[in-house]
Amino acid sequence: MARSKPITIDDLWQIERLGPPSLSPDGAQAVCSLASFSMADNQGRSALWLLSTLGGAPRPLTQCGDKDGQPRFSPQGDQVGFIARREQQGHKDESPQFYLIAPDGGEAHRVGDVPTGIDAFRWCPDGQRIVFISWVWPGLKGAKAQAKALRDFKARKDTGYATSEAFYRHWDHFTPAGRVPHLHLMDLASGKVRDLFEGSGFELQRAEPDAHCFDISPDGKRVVFAYDPAPEKRSDGRFALAEFDLKRKRFETLAQDVGWDFNHPRYSPDGSSVAFIASHQALSHTMPGQLAVVSAGQPVEVVSAEWDHSVQAPLLWEDDGQALLFAAEQQGQRHLWRFDLADRRAEAVVRGGCLNSFDKAAGTLVTLTDAADHPARLQAHLPGAPALRIETFNDKLMGKIALGRHETISVAGALGDPVQVWLFYPPGFDPARTYPLLQVIHGGPHTAVGDNWHYRWNNALFAAQGNVVAVVNYHGSSGFGHAFLDSITRRWGELELQDIEAATTELLKRPYIDPTRVYATGGSYGGFMVAWMNGHVPGGAGGRYAAYVCHAGCFDWTAMFADDAWAWHAKELGGWYWDDMARVNAQSPHAFAAQMNTPTLVIHGALDYRVPDAQGLAYYNTLKARQVEARLLWFPDENHWIVKPRNAKLWHAEFFGWLKAHRQHPNPTQHPSKPLPAAAGAEPAKGRGRKRP
């Protein structure tokens, strides 16, 4: 079928999104969730699908639920457990519950009824029990007391949220008032539940705890979990590992070090040791996650210390207990790696694109991977056989869409380092014509982009509007070694700007780039960079950039103290604002407002607690006060991301409309990279001059 049209925002929201796969014990089948969205209804739904790893058409497993998710095959393969909120037998779930369905069909049925809901779960090896996470009142005993407390809370007439906690909200929600996440054991035959942490003082992480933060031993007798031993919980807490003996009902610390953060534990196949991810936070808050192993009564052994990559969860042991599988980034891609414990060697077993998730059973591996030119796809990797696609959910839609080509180049950036730049060209690109240049600046800052498919900042979609899109993996980006990642600490904006400007300078040498239509856009830290550029790159008539788009951008580091990650500010900026205002201001866009002259579209969501919306409003108001052309797009019901279909369509309409409405009139006498004066009273941040080897 010929590809006939560029991708549109409507196409992007018609793409069905696959969730993490779970393999049956024999490796013959995989189950995953599949989410679809309706622009007309302005909502999405998800159902479960079964896929054969040997080929054949996928088939739906559930159809009655709206949000069926987190499916996992039972250890015996005779059941699939999942989390959902449904209506069954006249009872509508007020919170997510655990459901079971046979893989050969039938209707799913609810197991038990947990008033406080179920966030995530793991199967016990016997297939007769699960361990799950639920947020409970830690001072209460028994399910009846929890249920009554929940009823009383829902019946209250007041709406205030009172707390003395340091960690009380995350991303787009406040943590449940007075509640903490505990592990529970459920017997599936009776539905009876036991709170494993009741009266112990233990709790899981408060930042979206999931099934990666605990594990169950192969004999089903112990549970290992990560917890914060500090009496006051903070977003930068350093976690330790503990074990709970299910029979003796006894806790023992397995691994703890005040300088390290330990998380994502996984028992070895024989249960004799636990692998986990360790980060030496006492050295730096940017230290990578390293693979570590510990056995009861033995010291922690960090086994990947010489490997300059950051290990990412989940961890999965090979059946022989001699190696582990995990994901790690490398130069704008995210591969699946196998780390051999005996020779301390990492080998990429599935390369290319961006690995989203994976599972392995009975020698069969399944991977969920997207790339710059396609949304996520599921593949089966059988021993000795080439990779096999096991679904084609989006192939018909994508077959009608023409995507432009993409490539990587390298420019000489800050400190003389080579810096990677991903370029995306519009469909039918003709080098004899001229095109706008759109810089898309990624967030993080300690992330990387390139060979991935994104549903909010989709480079193929941006290019389809007729732009040449540049994405710079600037200093601070992940996947290029720790020194490169850490180089921007305590001098935010300095090296990143040099890298972005180096890319713009290089691309302006190309005859197909129109110098009157050069734009810079970014979200989160990318939004910070756009605001930073407005105060550091000359604007107005003859400036380099015709317009900026700042989505959820950091503007004022003092006012940013209202965010949910305030505990990291001093580590990132080099000091608390009350101790070193000059240093903080030297890295804060608001301190350079007197030099801001470039038209800017400011976008923010009211439910954004990572970068509170007052940041965007203050930036917009500042531009209006300075009589700089500006436009505000504010969402009362969105967080750091724009996740509702109709809001996303509006976002793109404003984004594209703003860029198309602006064109620059270059002044050849003005050097585009000429630095602007520092903010009054501000001192330049002192850099450490680290270079990537």
Side-chain angles (χ1 to χ4, degrees):
M1 181 182 296
R3 298 187 175 191
S4 57
K5 70 181 188 70
I7 190 170
T8 67
I9 180 60
D10 289 295
D11 295 326
L12 192 66
W13 280 90
Q14 287 180 40
I15 294 172
E16 296 181 302
R17 307 181 191 182
L18 290 91
S22 170
L23 276 169
S24 58
D26 61 4
Q29 291 182 302
V31 62
C32 71
S33 64
L34 185 69
S36 58
F37 298 86
S38 168
M39 190 66 72
D41 297 335
N42 198 32
Q43 62 183 7
R45 67 182 306 274
S46 60
L48 306 186
W49 284 72
L50 274 179
L51 307 98
S52 170
T53 60
L54 303 175
R59 65 177 179 87
L61 184 61
T62 65
Q63 301 180 56
C64 299
D66 288 331
K67 298 289 184 181
D68 297 343
Q70 302 185 52
R72 300 294 299 178
F73 267 100
S74 67
Q76 292 71 32
D78 59 337
Q79 298 281 342
V80 172
F82 63 99
I83 305 295
R85 186 180 299 189
R86 292 177 157 215
E87 184 171 358
Q88 194 171 87
Q89 297 176 342
H91 174 63
K92 187 174 183 179
D93 298 330
E94 295 186 11
S95 56
Q97 300 295 322
F98 181 70
Y99 282 82
L100 283 175
I101 189 170
D104 57 358
E107 182 54 51
H109 67 278
R110 183 193 305 115
V111 180
D113 189 355
V114 182
T116 50
I118 297 178
D119 281 21
F121 78 98
R122 281 189 172 276
W123 284 96
C124 291
D126 58 15
Q128 299 175 16
R129 300 168 298 163
I130 62 167
V131 174
F132 67 88
I133 301 171
S134 187
W135 286 76
V136 299
W137 283 268
L140 301 180
K141 293 185 177 181
K144 291 183 179 180
Q146 295 290 339
K148 181 180 183 304
L150 184 64
R151 288 195 302 271
D152 292 344
F153 179 78
K154 291 181 176 180
R156 75 195 190 286
K157 301 301 181 182
D158 55 89
T159 59
Y161 182 99
T163 186
S164 299
E165 299 285 352
F167 190 115
Y168 58 93
R169 68 177 188 170
H170 178 71
W171 199 254
D172 63 356
H173 61 277
F174 280 70
T175 58
R179 293 157 67 185
V180 297
H182 279 191
L183 285 178
H184 298 70
L185 182 71
M186 176 188 283
D187 177 78
L188 301 184
S190 64
K192 291 183 178 179
V193 170
R194 173 160 63 101
D195 184 344
L196 302 182
F197 289 180
E198 187 176 274
S200 69
F202 284 103
E203 62 178 76
L204 300 178
Q205 65 184 44
R206 298 185 185 181
E208 298 179 356
D210 58 24
H212 299 324
C213 63
F214 71 98
D215 197 19
I216 305 167
S217 63
D219 61 8
K221 296 180 179 179
R222 293 164 290 151
V223 176
V224 61
F225 59 93
Y227 74 100
D228 185 354
E232 182 175 69
K233 314 307 179 190
R234 295 185 5 164
S235 57
D236 63 342
R238 297 173 186 173
F239 282 65
L241 302 182
E243 269 191 325
F244 179 68
D245 188 307
L246 291 171
K247 185 177 181 179
R248 298 179 181 178
K249 301 180 182 180
R250 188 173 63 190
F251 293 90
E252 289 187 11
T253 299
L254 186 63
Q256 182 176 355
D257 189 304
V258 294
W260 289 76
D261 179 54
F262 298 153
N263 217 323
H264 311 298
R266 286 294 172 273
Y267 281 104
S268 61
D270 65 1
S272 64
S273 59
V274 172
F276 56 98
I277 298 177
S279 176
H280 199 171
Q281 292 290 290
L283 289 182
S284 171
H285 72 289
T286 64
M287 288 299 290
Q290 297 176 317
L291 183 63
V293 179
V294 69
S295 299
Q298 300 297 315
V300 168
E301 184 180 13
V302 178
V303 297
S304 68
E306 303 303 318
W307 192 54
D308 196 10
H309 293 64
S310 187
V311 176
Q312 298 177 355
L315 304 178
L316 183 63
W317 284 85
E318 293 279 33
D319 289 342
D320 61 6
Q322 300 302 306
L324 288 111
L325 299 174
F326 53 77
E329 294 179 348
Q330 186 179 66
Q331 299 183 357
Q333 296 181 314
R334 189 171 185 255
H335 309 310
L336 177 65
W337 301 81
R338 181 183 188 274
F339 192 92
D340 189 276
L341 296 175
D343 60 13
R344 309 291 174 90
R345 182 175 59 87
E347 174 188 10
V349 294
V350 178
R351 283 186 172 273
C354 178
L355 177 74
N356 296 171
S357 58
F358 67 96
D359 197 13
K360 189 173 184 180
T364 296
L365 170 71
V366 289
T367 57
L368 181 65
T369 303
D370 62 36
D373 56 2
H374 66 78
R377 298 171 175 172
L378 269 173
Q379 290 185 308
H381 309 261
L382 279 68
L388 173 68
R389 280 281 304 282
I390 58 174
E391 53 73 33
T392 57
F393 290 119
N394 295 304
D395 286 15
K396 183 177 180 180
L397 173 64
M398 296 301 295
K400 299 177 182 178
I401 293 171
L403 298 179
R405 68 180 180 90
H406 64 275
E407 65 175 346
T408 61
I409 64 171
S410 180
V411 299
L415 306 177
D417 290 337
V419 172
Q420 185 189 69
V421 184
W422 289 78
L423 297 178
F424 297 82
Y425 298 91
F429 172 77
D430 181 357
R433 295 174 52 196
T434 59
Y435 298 86
L437 173 62
L438 177 61
Q439 283 275 12
V440 176
I441 306 171
H442 74 69
H446 304 308
T447 56
V449 294
D451 197 8
N452 67 298
W453 187 268
H454 205 290
Y455 288 98
R456 291 174 301 278
W457 290 79
N458 188 279
N459 294 312
L461 177 58
F462 294 159
Q465 294 291 310
N467 304 302
V468 173
V469 176
V471 185
V472 181
N473 278 323
Y474 50 75
H475 279 79
S477 299
S478 53
F480 299 88
H482 178 254
F484 188 83
L485 179 144
D486 190 51
S487 62
I488 68 171
T489 303
R490 298 195 288 275
R491 52 174 169 180
W492 277 12
E494 177 187 338
L495 304 184
E496 307 94 296
L497 178 57
Q498 294 178 46
D499 295 340
I500 294 163
E501 289 294 84
T504 299
T505 296
E506 174 61 30
L507 292 169
L508 281 171
K509 297 176 183 177
R510 303 188 176 193
Y512 52 78
I513 297 299
D514 183 351
T516 71
R517 294 182 292 166
V518 179
Y519 312 100
T521 68
S524 194
Y525 193 85
F528 158 80
M529 280 305 304
V530 167
W532 181 258
M533 291 166 71
N534 209 347
H536 288 79
V537 179
R544 168 165 278 197
Y545 297 94
Y548 295 130
V549 178
C550 175
H551 170 92
C554 311
F555 177 66
D556 178 351
W557 283 118
T558 303
M560 266 290 290
F561 221 71
D563 71 3
D564 65 349
W566 58 265
W568 276 289
H569 284 214
K571 302 173 184 179
E572 294 162 340
L573 301 173
W576 301 113
Y577 71 85
W578 55 86
D579 289 330
D580 199 342
M581 183 68 81
R583 174 179 288 276
V584 172
N585 276 347
Q587 300 169 81
S588 186
H590 88 285
F592 301 87
Q595 286 82 250
M596 294 180 176
N597 292 295
T598 302
T600 301
L601 169 64
V602 178
I603 308 175
H604 229 111
L607 301 182
D608 187 350
Y609 301 156
R610 181 55 45 95
V611 181
D613 69 333
Q615 293 287 300
L617 299 178
Y619 185 25
Y620 174 74
N621 292 349
T622 297
L623 295 175
K624 298 301 284 187
R626 286 188 42 74
Q627 298 184 328
V628 177
E629 185 184 0
R631 184 171 175 82
L632 175 68
L633 176 59
W634 178 83
F635 294 96
D637 54 348
E638 297 284 6
N639 57 34
H640 201 55
W641 302 337
I642 307 302
V643 297
K644 294 181 173 63
R646 296 300 287 268
N647 284 345
K649 190 167 186 175
L650 174 61
W651 187 99
H652 283 83
E654 290 282 345
F655 185 99
F656 295 141
W658 179 259
L659 299 181
K660 290 177 180 178
H662 290 84
R663 196 177 188 119
Q664 190 56 275
H665 302 285
N667 179 358
T669 64
Q670 181 172 311
H671 193 285
S673 297
K674 181 181 179 181
L676 290 165
E683 298 177 1
K686 298 177 182 178
R688 287 172 289 173
R690 290 190 181 180
K691 298 181 73 171
R692 178 167 56 97

